[in-house]
């Protein structure tokens, strides 16, 4: 972690305070952009950490919320390209995490939970780029759910 990484929380706090206390200031969009950028920079990828989908998604979720709010409040700015890139990245990370958890549940034969996580990823993280993967996983889960029901019916027939 470099020294600038240690300053990110302070920068985020200062910019958020500015945004909250000076709602009519002409620099509000820039301050919100800086919050988004700093939150995005806190999401680190290094070989020393487990893969992103295995880690706490709190920082990523916070960045996602701020980026979406920025897009809603400022639909056209000079930072659009960078904001769009960051939003696509964090959306993909969050969707990937949901699919990771769905696969875990599928391996545990918890089909309802697996299906719920895949549906949540599809519904919540539109345009993540992972929709085909989520649909395949959901289809696989539904197939296994049907198979389990058929096996239970066969067991019940065998008991009668």
């Amino acid at each position: 972690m470099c020294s600038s990484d240690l300053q990110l929380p302070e920068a985020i706090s200062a910019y958020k305070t500015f945004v909250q206390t000076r709602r009519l200031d002409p620099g509000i969009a820039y301050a919100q952009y800086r919050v988004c950028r700093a939150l995005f920079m806190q999401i680190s990828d290094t070989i020393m950490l487990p893969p992103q989908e295995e880690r706490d998604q709190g920082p990523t979720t916070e960045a996602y919320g701020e980026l979406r709010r920025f897009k809603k409040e400022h639909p056209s700015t000079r930072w659009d390209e960078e904001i769009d890139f960051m939003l696509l990245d964090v959306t993909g990370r969050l969707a990937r995490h949901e699919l990771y958890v769905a696969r875990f549940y599928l391996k545990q034969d918890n089909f309802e939970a697996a299906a719920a996580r895949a549906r949540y990823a599809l519904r919540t993280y539109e345009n993540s780029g992972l929709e085909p993967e989520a649909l395949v996983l959901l289809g696989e889960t539904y197939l296994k759910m049907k198979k389990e029901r058929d096996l239970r019916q066969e067991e019940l027939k065998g008991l009668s």
Side-chain angles (χ1 to χ4, degrees), residues 133-160:
E133 185 178 339
L135 287 169
V136 168
L137 182 60
L138 189 58
E140 181 183 347
T141 303
Y142 284 153
L143 284 172
K144 288 187 176 193
M145 290 169 81
K146 173 70 172 143
K147 183 177 180 182
E148 182 182 70
R149 277 190 226 120
D150 289 346
L151 288 173
R152 285 186 185 160
Q153 287 176 351
E154 290 298 318
E155 288 174 9
L156 290 174
K157 285 179 188 176
L159 294 174
S160 50

Side-chain angles (χ1 to χ4, degrees), residues 45 79 90 116 138:
D45 283 324
W79 307 290
V90 297
L138 189 58

